Every structure is written in C-alpha cells, then in structure tokens.
Amino acid sequence: MARKAPTVSSVAKRLFVVLVATRNPLNIGAAARAMSNFGFSNLRVVNSYELAFREARSAVGAAALLKNAQEYKSIAEAVSDCSLVVGTTASRNRKLDHELRPLDEGAIEVRKRLRSGSVALLFGSEKRGLSNDDLSYCHWLVRIPTVAAHSSMNLGQAVAVCLYQLTREANAPVNTEKQPNATAAELDRLSAMLLEALDISGYVKPSAPGPMEEKIRRLVRRLNFSPEDSETCLGMLRQMLWKMRAKY
C-alpha cells in the first residue's frame, strides 16, 4: 500500500550534492545557496580548484554550509557511503552508456531510495561536465529538460532545479520501503575483485585496462545489488581467485 512520503527535512541528511572539479567560486557559492534554499546541507567537492573553493566560502546565505563542506580527492571516496549515485548531463549528442531518466521521474526514484539509504547527486565542471570515468561511478543519469539550442545551464542553476524537483515530490505517495542497496564502497570492492579475476583469466587486454574498468563499474551498478548479494558475490569471487592463483 502506498503511503505519504517523508518530509524534505527527514531525508535531507541522506542526500549529498557532489561538485566535481568546479572552477568558479561564484558557481560553488550559487550551488551552496541553492542547497540552503531547499533545505539540503551536505555538500561534497571533488578536486575543486583550491582558490575557487576558498573564495566561495564567503558566499552570501551559505557560509555555514560551505564551512562544513567536505573535500575529496576522488569520486570513489566522495560517494563510498551512498547506495545510489546519480549523475547529471546536459549534452544531447554524447554517447551515453547509462540509462538516462527525465528529471521528474528521477526525482521520484531518488526520494524512494533516500528512505533506506544515502544518495549522491553528481555535477561536473563548468567546462566539460562529468567525464566518462566520472560517469562510471553512477547508477544512472538525469538531464534537465532544456531547449536544444541552449541545453547547458549554469552550475548553480542546475543544482537549484534538481533540488527543487526533489522538494516537489515531498508529499507524493510512494511505495513501502524496499531492501537497502549496497553502498558505492561495497560495489567498488566487488568491481575490483571481478576485474582482478578477469585479468588473471586473460579476459582483460593489457592495452585497454581503463575502458574495461569503467565498463565493469557500470555493469555492477546496473545490477542493483543488496548488501547481502554483494557479500555473496564477493565470497564467490574470493574462492574463484584463490583457485585461479593456485593454478597459475
């Protein structure tokens, strides 16, 4: 039976806005202020330009939020405790290896997942957006429905629109809670062990380890493992690797 969804404040602590390689302090400040406007307070920055992040801390209306923002050297570290990672993209001509969902549908799914775990919402740099490697850490993507002639939005505006869409769904009925999903850190352990097994078996070509690593990360995330399923697969892979190492 459907029931009323929790309020914005009850799930805000489990949503993390992650800015990747942001250059402009005004954009960081605008993103932080948008978060404050809609009741979200967890900001994480990955490889931001040091000067930009330092100057952004003085942003009007978001000083406290920026003071508590967490800095990370990699996306893997920034999303390790999240069971769902959603990337954003503006490009319409780019070949994507992920499912792309309309923002309104994506927001409904994000709110459902926030009831049982943490969610990371990724935004790329102003110049290039999220790279293919960045996207490989995502389960799926969303795109704001802009006109084709002007598809790219300012970073602060994009954050504001996405968070507004989340708050719009605050009173929408949702299904009862589902089983929690494995965190990004658990999925990364599984991906690394699977890649190691494929490498020992000779499946991975030495000339293309990077693309295969991205492909494995995307594959594992599409499977929507629960923590128990993830641990079961890790156990199977450990046994397989033990046998393979003994053989080779």
Side-chain angles (χ1 to χ4, degrees), residues 182-231:
T183 65
E186 291 170 327
L187 295 180
D188 280 342
R189 286 195 293 272
L190 181 57
S191 298
M193 193 166 291
L194 178 57
L195 187 65
E196 183 180 357
L198 294 173
D199 183 46
I200 293 176
S201 71
Y203 183 83
V204 177
K205 296 180 180 180
S207 60
M212 178 56 67
E213 184 176 354
E214 294 175 12
K215 186 178 294 186
I216 293 299
R217 276 200 296 263
R218 292 194 297 267
L219 171 64
V220 169
R221 279 158 174 76
R222 285 199 299 269
L223 296 176
N224 291 321
F225 281 117
S226 68
E228 292 76 15
D229 291 340
S230 176
E231 191 58 39

mmCIF file of all heavy atoms in Angstrom, residues 182-231:
data_model
loop_
_atom_site.group_PDB
_atom_site.id
_atom_site.type_symbol
_atom_site.label_atom_id
_atom_site.label_comp_id
_atom_site.label_asym_id
_atom_site.label_seq_id
_atom_site.Cartn_x
_atom_site.Cartn_y
_atom_site.Cartn_z
ATOM 1 N N ALA A 182 23.383 -1.965 -1.844
ATOM 2 C CA ALA A 182 24.793 -1.924 -1.463
ATOM 3 C C ALA A 182 25.338 -0.509 -1.666
ATOM 4 O O ALA A 182 24.920 0.206 -2.575
ATOM 5 C CB ALA A 182 25.588 -2.917 -2.292
ATOM 6 N N THR A 183 26.278 -0.114 -0.823
ATOM 7 C CA THR A 183 26.886 1.202 -0.952
ATOM 8 C C THR A 183 27.891 1.209 -2.096
ATOM 9 O O THR A 183 28.310 0.159 -2.599
ATOM 10 C CB THR A 183 27.614 1.614 0.339
ATOM 11 O OG1 THR A 183 28.726 0.717 0.552
ATOM 12 C CG2 THR A 183 26.679 1.559 1.539
ATOM 13 N N ALA A 184 28.309 2.405 -2.494
ATOM 14 C CA ALA A 184 29.292 2.533 -3.573
ATOM 15 C C ALA A 184 30.610 1.861 -3.193
ATOM 16 O O ALA A 184 31.281 1.270 -4.046
ATOM 17 C CB ALA A 184 29.524 4.010 -3.892
ATOM 18 N N ALA A 185 30.989 1.950 -1.924
ATOM 19 C CA ALA A 185 32.238 1.316 -1.483
ATOM 20 C C ALA A 185 32.154 -0.204 -1.640
ATOM 21 O O ALA A 185 33.113 -0.857 -2.078
ATOM 22 C CB ALA A 185 32.526 1.679 -0.025
ATOM 23 N N GLU A 186 31.008 -0.797 -1.298
ATOM 24 C CA GLU A 186 30.828 -2.239 -1.453
ATOM 25 C C GLU A 186 30.873 -2.630 -2.928
ATOM 26 O O GLU A 186 31.463 -3.654 -3.301
ATOM 27 C CB GLU A 186 29.504 -2.659 -0.819
ATOM 28 C CG GLU A 186 29.498 -2.543 0.698
ATOM 29 C CD GLU A 186 28.123 -2.717 1.311
ATOM 30 O OE1 GLU A 186 27.123 -2.314 0.664
ATOM 31 O OE2 GLU A 186 28.036 -3.237 2.435
ATOM 32 N N LEU A 187 30.246 -1.810 -3.781
ATOM 33 C CA LEU A 187 30.248 -2.099 -5.209
ATOM 34 C C LEU A 187 31.645 -1.931 -5.810
ATOM 35 O O LEU A 187 32.022 -2.671 -6.732
ATOM 36 C CB LEU A 187 29.258 -1.181 -5.923
ATOM 37 C CG LEU A 187 27.786 -1.372 -5.556
ATOM 38 C CD1 LEU A 187 26.921 -0.401 -6.347
ATOM 39 C CD2 LEU A 187 27.337 -2.804 -5.802
ATOM 40 N N ASP A 188 32.423 -0.981 -5.290
ATOM 41 C CA ASP A 188 33.792 -0.806 -5.778
ATOM 42 C C ASP A 188 34.659 -2.008 -5.418
ATOM 43 O O ASP A 188 35.512 -2.431 -6.210
ATOM 44 C CB ASP A 188 34.409 0.468 -5.191
ATOM 45 C CG ASP A 188 33.961 1.721 -5.921
ATOM 46 O OD1 ASP A 188 33.464 1.590 -7.053
ATOM 47 O OD2 ASP A 188 34.097 2.819 -5.357
ATOM 48 N N ARG A 189 34.465 -2.573 -4.218
ATOM 49 C CA ARG A 189 35.210 -3.775 -3.833
ATOM 50 C C ARG A 189 34.852 -4.938 -4.761
ATOM 51 O O ARG A 189 35.727 -5.702 -5.192
ATOM 52 C CB ARG A 189 34.932 -4.137 -2.378
ATOM 53 C CG ARG A 189 35.605 -3.228 -1.364
ATOM 54 C CD ARG A 189 35.597 -3.832 0.019
ATOM 55 N NE ARG A 189 34.246 -3.919 0.569
ATOM 56 C CZ ARG A 189 33.648 -2.943 1.251
ATOM 57 N NH1 ARG A 189 34.295 -1.798 1.449
ATOM 58 N NH2 ARG A 189 32.441 -3.101 1.738
ATOM 59 N N LEU A 190 33.562 -5.064 -5.053
ATOM 60 C CA LEU A 190 33.111 -6.121 -5.940
ATOM 61 C C LEU A 190 33.666 -5.921 -7.347
ATOM 62 O O LEU A 190 34.137 -6.874 -7.992
ATOM 63 C CB LEU A 190 31.584 -6.143 -5.971
ATOM 64 C CG LEU A 190 30.909 -7.206 -6.839
ATOM 65 C CD1 LEU A 190 31.354 -8.602 -6.423
ATOM 66 C CD2 LEU A 190 29.392 -7.080 -6.737
ATOM 67 N N SER A 191 33.639 -4.678 -7.844
ATOM 68 C CA SER A 191 34.157 -4.382 -9.184
ATOM 69 C C SER A 191 35.650 -4.694 -9.276
ATOM 70 O O SER A 191 36.120 -5.275 -10.266
ATOM 71 C CB SER A 191 33.916 -2.904 -9.528
ATOM 72 O OG SER A 191 32.539 -2.604 -9.547
ATOM 73 N N ALA A 192 36.396 -4.301 -8.239
ATOM 74 C CA ALA A 192 37.849 -4.528 -8.241
ATOM 75 C C ALA A 192 38.170 -6.018 -8.243
ATOM 76 O O ALA A 192 39.086 -6.472 -8.951
ATOM 77 C CB ALA A 192 38.477 -3.848 -7.020
ATOM 78 N N MET A 193 37.421 -6.796 -7.476
ATOM 79 C CA MET A 193 37.685 -8.234 -7.407
ATOM 80 C C MET A 193 37.297 -8.920 -8.717
ATOM 81 O O MET A 193 37.996 -9.820 -9.189
ATOM 82 C CB MET A 193 36.935 -8.852 -6.225
ATOM 83 C CG MET A 193 37.388 -10.260 -5.895
ATOM 84 S SD MET A 193 36.796 -10.838 -4.279
ATOM 85 C CE MET A 193 37.747 -9.778 -3.181
ATOM 86 N N LEU A 194 36.191 -8.484 -9.321
ATOM 87 C CA LEU A 194 35.786 -9.039 -10.604
ATOM 88 C C LEU A 194 36.808 -8.708 -11.681
ATOM 89 O O LEU A 194 37.163 -9.560 -12.514
ATOM 90 C CB LEU A 194 34.407 -8.490 -10.998
ATOM 91 C CG LEU A 194 33.851 -8.926 -12.353
ATOM 92 C CD1 LEU A 194 33.771 -10.442 -12.450
ATOM 93 C CD2 LEU A 194 32.471 -8.303 -12.576
ATOM 94 N N LEU A 195 37.311 -7.477 -11.668
ATOM 95 C CA LEU A 195 38.318 -7.067 -12.644
ATOM 96 C C LEU A 195 39.600 -7.884 -12.462
ATOM 97 O O LEU A 195 40.233 -8.283 -13.449
ATOM 98 C CB LEU A 195 38.620 -5.578 -12.496
ATOM 99 C CG LEU A 195 39.526 -4.962 -13.554
ATOM 100 C CD1 LEU A 195 38.840 -5.006 -14.923
ATOM 101 C CD2 LEU A 195 39.868 -3.517 -13.199
ATOM 102 N N GLU A 196 39.962 -8.155 -11.212
ATOM 103 C CA GLU A 196 41.154 -8.957 -10.946
ATOM 104 C C GLU A 196 40.985 -10.374 -11.498
ATOM 105 O O GLU A 196 41.906 -10.938 -12.099
ATOM 106 C CB GLU A 196 41.427 -9.015 -9.441
ATOM 107 C CG GLU A 196 42.699 -9.770 -9.084
ATOM 108 C CD GLU A 196 42.967 -9.819 -7.587
ATOM 109 O OE1 GLU A 196 42.190 -9.206 -6.817
ATOM 110 O OE2 GLU A 196 43.949 -10.465 -7.194
ATOM 111 N N ALA A 197 39.791 -10.945 -11.297
ATOM 112 C CA ALA A 197 39.530 -12.293 -11.810
ATOM 113 C C ALA A 197 39.587 -12.323 -13.334
ATOM 114 O O ALA A 197 40.140 -13.256 -13.937
ATOM 115 C CB ALA A 197 38.162 -12.776 -11.323
ATOM 116 N N LEU A 198 39.043 -11.295 -13.965
ATOM 117 C CA LEU A 198 39.072 -11.220 -15.425
ATOM 118 C C LEU A 198 40.495 -11.028 -15.942
ATOM 119 O O LEU A 198 40.856 -11.549 -17.010
ATOM 120 C CB LEU A 198 38.182 -10.069 -15.905
ATOM 121 C CG LEU A 198 36.677 -10.226 -15.646
ATOM 122 C CD1 LEU A 198 35.939 -8.943 -16.021
ATOM 123 C CD2 LEU A 198 36.131 -11.408 -16.433
ATOM 124 N N ASP A 199 41.302 -10.286 -15.183
ATOM 125 C CA ASP A 199 42.690 -10.062 -15.573
ATOM 126 C C ASP A 199 43.484 -11.359 -15.503
ATOM 127 O O ASP A 199 44.223 -11.707 -16.428
ATOM 128 C CB ASP A 199 43.309 -9.002 -14.659
ATOM 129 C CG ASP A 199 44.742 -8.668 -15.052
ATOM 130 O OD1 ASP A 199 44.992 -8.471 -16.257
ATOM 131 O OD2 ASP A 199 45.607 -8.625 -14.160
ATOM 132 N N ILE A 200 43.339 -12.115 -14.408
ATOM 133 C CA ILE A 200 44.062 -13.377 -14.248
ATOM 134 C C ILE A 200 43.631 -14.387 -15.306
ATOM 135 O O ILE A 200 44.442 -15.162 -15.824
ATOM 136 C CB ILE A 200 43.836 -13.945 -12.831
ATOM 137 C CG1 ILE A 200 44.490 -13.029 -11.790
ATOM 138 C CG2 ILE A 200 44.398 -15.357 -12.711
ATOM 139 C CD1 ILE A 200 44.249 -13.452 -10.361
ATOM 140 N N SER A 201 42.354 -14.358 -15.650
ATOM 141 C CA SER A 201 41.842 -15.317 -16.635
ATOM 142 C C SER A 201 42.287 -14.987 -18.056
ATOM 143 O O SER A 201 42.156 -15.813 -18.950
ATOM 144 C CB SER A 201 40.313 -15.339 -16.588
ATOM 145 O OG SER A 201 39.769 -14.137 -17.124
ATOM 146 N N GLY A 202 42.810 -13.774 -18.255
ATOM 147 C CA GLY A 202 43.239 -13.360 -19.579
ATOM 148 C C GLY A 202 42.169 -12.666 -20.394
ATOM 149 O O GLY A 202 42.376 -12.326 -21.558
ATOM 150 N N TYR A 203 41.013 -12.418 -19.772
ATOM 151 C CA TYR A 203 39.919 -11.770 -20.495
ATOM 152 C C TYR A 203 40.224 -10.304 -20.777
ATOM 153 O O TYR A 203 39.852 -9.780 -21.824
ATOM 154 C CB TYR A 203 38.625 -11.884 -19.679
ATOM 155 C CG TYR A 203 37.419 -11.298 -20.373
ATOM 156 C CD1 TYR A 203 36.708 -12.037 -21.311
ATOM 157 C CD2 TYR A 203 36.994 -9.999 -20.095
ATOM 158 C CE1 TYR A 203 35.600 -11.501 -21.966
ATOM 159 C CE2 TYR A 203 35.893 -9.451 -20.740
ATOM 160 C CZ TYR A 203 35.197 -10.208 -21.664
ATOM 161 O OH TYR A 203 34.118 -9.668 -22.301
ATOM 162 N N VAL A 204 40.888 -9.616 -19.828
ATOM 163 C CA VAL A 204 41.203 -8.196 -19.974
ATOM 164 C C VAL A 204 42.468 -8.034 -20.801
ATOM 165 O O VAL A 204 43.504 -8.625 -20.497
ATOM 166 C CB VAL A 204 41.401 -7.529 -18.595
ATOM 167 C CG1 VAL A 204 41.792 -6.061 -18.771
ATOM 168 C CG2 VAL A 204 40.144 -7.647 -17.763
ATOM 169 N N LYS A 205 42.389 -7.236 -21.849
ATOM 170 C CA LYS A 205 43.539 -6.978 -22.698
ATOM 171 C C LYS A 205 44.454 -5.949 -22.029
ATOM 172 O O LYS A 205 43.978 -4.918 -21.553
ATOM 173 C CB LYS A 205 43.092 -6.455 -24.057
ATOM 174 C CG LYS A 205 42.264 -7.457 -24.859
ATOM 175 C CD LYS A 205 41.846 -6.864 -26.198
ATOM 176 C CE LYS A 205 41.015 -7.858 -26.992
ATOM 177 N NZ LYS A 205 40.587 -7.309 -28.307
ATOM 178 N N PRO A 206 45.759 -6.217 -21.975
ATOM 179 C CA PRO A 206 46.698 -5.263 -21.345
ATOM 180 C C PRO A 206 46.642 -3.876 -21.956
ATOM 181 O O PRO A 206 46.942 -2.889 -21.296
ATOM 182 C CB PRO A 206 48.067 -5.922 -21.588
ATOM 183 C CG PRO A 206 47.755 -7.376 -21.790
ATOM 184 C CD PRO A 206 46.426 -7.412 -22.495
ATOM 185 N N SER A 207 46.243 -3.773 -23.211
ATOM 186 C CA SER A 207 46.236 -2.481 -23.902
ATOM 187 C C SER A 207 45.037 -1.619 -23.540
ATOM 188 O O SER A 207 45.010 -0.432 -23.861
ATOM 189 C CB SER A 207 46.246 -2.703 -25.413
ATOM 190 O OG SER A 207 45.086 -3.448 -25.810
ATOM 191 N N ALA A 208 44.020 -2.185 -22.868
ATOM 192 C CA ALA A 208 42.802 -1.407 -22.585
ATOM 193 C C ALA A 208 42.252 -1.676 -21.192
ATOM 194 O O ALA A 208 41.071 -1.999 -21.029
ATOM 195 C CB ALA A 208 41.748 -1.713 -23.636
ATOM 196 N N PRO A 209 43.081 -1.514 -20.134
ATOM 197 C CA PRO A 209 42.563 -1.758 -18.784
ATOM 198 C C PRO A 209 41.591 -0.688 -18.310
ATOM 199 O O PRO A 209 40.641 -0.969 -17.587
ATOM 200 C CB PRO A 209 43.835 -1.773 -17.925
ATOM 201 C CG PRO A 209 44.792 -0.896 -18.673
ATOM 202 C CD PRO A 209 44.498 -1.143 -20.132
ATOM 203 N N GLY A 210 41.821 0.572 -18.738
ATOM 204 C CA GLY A 210 40.963 1.675 -18.291
ATOM 205 C C GLY A 210 39.520 1.538 -18.733
ATOM 206 O O GLY A 210 38.603 1.549 -17.918
ATOM 207 N N PRO A 211 39.270 1.397 -20.052
ATOM 208 C CA PRO A 211 37.889 1.230 -20.518
ATOM 209 C C PRO A 211 37.185 0.025 -19.903
ATOM 210 O O PRO A 211 35.993 0.078 -19.623
ATOM 211 C CB PRO A 211 38.072 1.061 -22.035
ATOM 212 C CG PRO A 211 39.316 1.812 -22.343
ATOM 213 C CD PRO A 211 40.218 1.557 -21.164
ATOM 214 N N MET A 212 37.911 -1.076 -19.686
ATOM 215 C CA MET A 212 37.296 -2.251 -19.079
ATOM 216 C C MET A 212 36.904 -1.970 -17.630
ATOM 217 O O MET A 212 35.848 -2.411 -17.160
ATOM 218 C CB MET A 212 38.265 -3.441 -19.136
ATOM 219 C CG MET A 212 37.714 -4.712 -18.486
ATOM 220 S SD MET A 212 36.129 -5.253 -19.179
ATOM 221 C CE MET A 212 36.625 -5.712 -20.843
ATOM 222 N N GLU A 213 37.743 -1.228 -16.914
ATOM 223 C CA GLU A 213 37.422 -0.882 -15.533
ATOM 224 C C GLU A 213 36.135 -0.057 -15.475
ATOM 225 O O GLU A 213 35.263 -0.294 -14.634
ATOM 226 C CB GLU A 213 38.578 -0.100 -14.900
ATOM 227 C CG GLU A 213 38.371 0.211 -13.428
ATOM 228 C CD GLU A 213 39.571 0.903 -12.816
ATOM 229 O OE1 GLU A 213 40.602 1.033 -13.499
ATOM 230 O OE2 GLU A 213 39.466 1.304 -11.635
ATOM 231 N N GLU A 214 35.987 0.913 -16.384
ATOM 232 C CA GLU A 214 34.765 1.714 -16.437
ATOM 233 C C GLU A 214 33.561 0.834 -16.769
ATOM 234 O O GLU A 214 32.485 0.974 -16.176
ATOM 235 C CB GLU A 214 34.902 2.809 -17.499
ATOM 236 C CG GLU A 214 35.949 3.857 -17.176
ATOM 237 C CD GLU A 214 36.133 4.847 -18.318
ATOM 238 O OE1 GLU A 214 35.279 4.833 -19.238
ATOM 239 O OE2 GLU A 214 37.105 5.606 -18.301
ATOM 240 N N LYS A 215 33.743 -0.086 -17.717
ATOM 241 C CA LYS A 215 32.650 -0.971 -18.129
ATOM 242 C C LYS A 215 32.197 -1.857 -16.976
ATOM 243 O O LYS A 215 30.988 -2.064 -16.767
ATOM 244 C CB LYS A 215 33.106 -1.825 -19.312
ATOM 245 C CG LYS A 215 32.003 -2.682 -19.913
ATOM 246 C CD LYS A 215 32.504 -3.474 -21.109
ATOM 247 C CE LYS A 215 32.871 -2.558 -22.265
ATOM 248 N NZ LYS A 215 33.237 -3.339 -23.489
ATOM 249 N N ILE A 216 33.139 -2.372 -16.207
ATOM 250 C CA ILE A 216 32.802 -3.231 -15.069
ATOM 251 C C ILE A 216 32.056 -2.438 -13.995
ATOM 252 O O ILE A 216 31.074 -2.917 -13.415
ATOM 253 C CB ILE A 216 34.074 -3.865 -14.472
ATOM 254 C CG1 ILE A 216 34.693 -4.854 -15.458
ATOM 255 C CG2 ILE A 216 33.765 -4.568 -13.146
ATOM 256 C CD1 ILE A 216 33.801 -6.007 -15.837
ATOM 257 N N ARG A 217 32.505 -1.199 -13.735
ATOM 258 C CA ARG A 217 31.818 -0.378 -12.729
ATOM 259 C C ARG A 217 30.370 -0.137 -13.135
ATOM 260 O O ARG A 217 29.449 -0.209 -12.312
ATOM 261 C CB ARG A 217 32.546 0.958 -12.538
ATOM 262 C CG ARG A 217 33.720 0.896 -11.580
ATOM 263 C CD ARG A 217 34.076 2.277 -11.047
ATOM 264 N NE ARG A 217 34.526 3.177 -12.078
ATOM 265 C CZ ARG A 217 35.804 3.424 -12.376
ATOM 266 N NH1 ARG A 217 36.763 2.813 -11.712
ATOM 267 N NH2 ARG A 217 36.129 4.284 -13.318
ATOM 268 N N ARG A 218 30.161 0.178 -14.419
ATOM 269 C CA ARG A 218 28.795 0.416 -14.889
ATOM 270 C C ARG A 218 27.948 -0.844 -14.794
ATOM 271 O O ARG A 218 26.779 -0.800 -14.387
ATOM 272 C CB ARG A 218 28.817 0.933 -16.335
ATOM 273 C CG ARG A 218 29.393 2.326 -16.494
ATOM 274 C CD ARG A 218 29.077 2.890 -17.864
ATOM 275 N NE ARG A 218 29.691 2.107 -18.934
ATOM 276 C CZ ARG A 218 30.890 2.360 -19.471
ATOM 277 N NH1 ARG A 218 31.613 3.374 -19.001
ATOM 278 N NH2 ARG A 218 31.360 1.611 -20.444
ATOM 279 N N LEU A 219 28.533 -1.978 -15.178
ATOM 280 C CA LEU A 219 27.807 -3.248 -15.136
ATOM 281 C C LEU A 219 27.359 -3.588 -13.726
ATOM 282 O O LEU A 219 26.189 -3.931 -13.487
ATOM 283 C CB LEU A 219 28.703 -4.363 -15.683
ATOM 284 C CG LEU A 219 28.187 -5.795 -15.513
ATOM 285 C CD1 LEU A 219 26.908 -5.991 -16.301
ATOM 286 C CD2 LEU A 219 29.245 -6.801 -15.939
ATOM 287 N N VAL A 220 28.263 -3.491 -12.781
ATOM 288 C CA VAL A 220 27.950 -3.845 -11.399
ATOM 289 C C VAL A 220 26.862 -2.946 -10.832
ATOM 290 O O VAL A 220 25.955 -3.398 -10.121
ATOM 291 C CB VAL A 220 29.232 -3.781 -10.526
ATOM 292 C CG1 VAL A 220 28.892 -3.881 -9.038
ATOM 293 C CG2 VAL A 220 30.190 -4.908 -10.915
ATOM 294 N N ARG A 221 26.893 -1.672 -11.168
ATOM 295 C CA ARG A 221 25.879 -0.752 -10.653
ATOM 296 C C ARG A 221 24.497 -1.005 -11.254
ATOM 297 O O ARG A 221 23.490 -0.770 -10.609
ATOM 298 C CB ARG A 221 26.327 0.690 -10.881
ATOM 299 C CG ARG A 221 27.320 1.153 -9.818
ATOM 300 C CD ARG A 221 28.182 2.317 -10.252
ATOM 301 N NE ARG A 221 29.003 2.796 -9.150
ATOM 302 C CZ ARG A 221 30.101 2.179 -8.711
ATOM 303 N NH1 ARG A 221 30.501 1.048 -9.274
ATOM 304 N NH2 ARG A 221 30.793 2.679 -7.688
ATOM 305 N N ARG A 222 24.455 -1.489 -12.485
ATOM 306 C CA ARG A 222 23.158 -1.786 -13.104
ATOM 307 C C ARG A 222 22.456 -2.970 -12.453
ATOM 308 O O ARG A 222 21.242 -3.123 -12.587
ATOM 309 C CB ARG A 222 23.344 -2.063 -14.608
ATOM 310 C CG ARG A 222 23.588 -0.829 -15.447
ATOM 311 C CD ARG A 222 23.309 -1.108 -16.921
ATOM 312 N NE ARG A 222 24.174 -2.137 -17.460
ATOM 313 C CZ ARG A 222 25.357 -1.894 -18.051
ATOM 314 N NH1 ARG A 222 25.799 -0.643 -18.148
ATOM 315 N NH2 ARG A 222 26.083 -2.874 -18.535
ATOM 316 N N LEU A 223 23.200 -3.790 -11.728
ATOM 317 C CA LEU A 223 22.618 -4.995 -11.136
ATOM 318 C C LEU A 223 21.858 -4.728 -9.838
ATOM 319 O O LEU A 223 21.172 -5.619 -9.333
ATOM 320 C CB LEU A 223 23.731 -6.026 -10.885
ATOM 321 C CG LEU A 223 24.431 -6.534 -12.152
ATOM 322 C CD1 LEU A 223 25.580 -7.458 -11.795
ATOM 323 C CD2 LEU A 223 23.453 -7.242 -13.069
ATOM 324 N N ASN A 224 21.997 -3.517 -9.260
ATOM 325 C CA ASN A 224 21.252 -3.133 -8.049
ATOM 326 C C ASN A 224 21.392 -4.154 -6.923
ATOM 327 O O ASN A 224 20.403 -4.644 -6.364
ATOM 328 C CB ASN A 224 19.766 -2.926 -8.381
ATOM 329 C CG ASN A 224 19.530 -1.704 -9.232
ATOM 330 O OD1 ASN A 224 20.167 -0.678 -9.034
ATOM 331 N ND2 ASN A 224 18.627 -1.810 -10.192
ATOM 332 N N PHE A 225 22.620 -4.487 -6.582
ATOM 333 C CA PHE A 225 22.877 -5.452 -5.514
ATOM 334 C C PHE A 225 22.428 -4.926 -4.148
ATOM 335 O O PHE A 225 22.591 -3.741 -3.841
ATOM 336 C CB PHE A 225 24.372 -5.762 -5.424
ATOM 337 C CG PHE A 225 24.864 -6.726 -6.463
ATOM 338 C CD1 PHE A 225 25.797 -6.328 -7.404
ATOM 339 C CD2 PHE A 225 24.407 -8.028 -6.495
ATOM 340 C CE1 PHE A 225 26.271 -7.208 -8.359
ATOM 341 C CE2 PHE A 225 24.867 -8.922 -7.443
ATOM 342 C CZ PHE A 225 25.798 -8.511 -8.383
ATOM 343 N N SER A 226 21.910 -5.807 -3.334
ATOM 344 C CA SER A 226 21.708 -5.511 -1.918
ATOM 345 C C SER A 226 23.041 -5.765 -1.212
ATOM 346 O O SER A 226 23.939 -6.413 -1.790
ATOM 347 C CB SER A 226 20.634 -6.423 -1.329
ATOM 348 O OG SER A 226 21.101 -7.769 -1.300
ATOM 349 N N PRO A 227 23.227 -5.301 0.032
ATOM 350 C CA PRO A 227 24.476 -5.607 0.749
ATOM 351 C C PRO A 227 24.731 -7.109 0.853
ATOM 352 O O PRO A 227 25.870 -7.568 0.735
ATOM 353 C CB PRO A 227 24.243 -4.978 2.121
ATOM 354 C CG PRO A 227 23.283 -3.862 1.860
ATOM 355 C CD PRO A 227 22.360 -4.387 0.796
ATOM 356 N N GLU A 228 23.660 -7.897 1.061
ATOM 357 C CA GLU A 228 23.809 -9.350 1.184
ATOM 358 C C GLU A 228 24.243 -9.969 -0.137
ATOM 359 O O GLU A 228 25.125 -10.847 -0.173
ATOM 360 C CB GLU A 228 22.496 -9.973 1.657
ATOM 361 C CG GLU A 228 22.093 -9.623 3.072
ATOM 362 C CD GLU A 228 21.538 -8.208 3.206
ATOM 363 O OE1 GLU A 228 21.197 -7.601 2.160
ATOM 364 O OE2 GLU A 228 21.458 -7.716 4.343
ATOM 365 N N ASP A 229 23.634 -9.518 -1.248
ATOM 366 C CA ASP A 229 24.012 -10.041 -2.564
ATOM 367 C C ASP A 229 25.458 -9.697 -2.895
ATOM 368 O O ASP A 229 26.196 -10.513 -3.453
ATOM 369 C CB ASP A 229 23.100 -9.462 -3.652
ATOM 370 C CG ASP A 229 21.682 -9.991 -3.552
ATOM 371 O OD1 ASP A 229 21.485 -11.043 -2.920
ATOM 372 O OD2 ASP A 229 20.778 -9.340 -4.114
ATOM 373 N N SER A 230 25.845 -8.477 -2.554
ATOM 374 C CA SER A 230 27.214 -8.046 -2.808
ATOM 375 C C SER A 230 28.214 -8.910 -2.048
ATOM 376 O O SER A 230 29.231 -9.347 -2.594
ATOM 377 C CB SER A 230 27.384 -6.569 -2.401
ATOM 378 O OG SER A 230 28.721 -6.153 -2.558
ATOM 379 N N GLU A 231 27.906 -9.189 -0.780
ATOM 380 C CA GLU A 231 28.804 -10.005 0.041
ATOM 381 C C GLU A 231 28.861 -11.440 -0.483
ATOM 382 O O GLU A 231 29.918 -12.077 -0.477
ATOM 383 C CB GLU A 231 28.329 -9.996 1.495
ATOM 384 C CG GLU A 231 29.331 -10.584 2.479
ATOM 385 C CD GLU A 231 30.669 -9.863 2.459
ATOM 386 O OE1 GLU A 231 30.690 -8.627 2.338
ATOM 387 O OE2 GLU A 231 31.712 -10.560 2.552
#
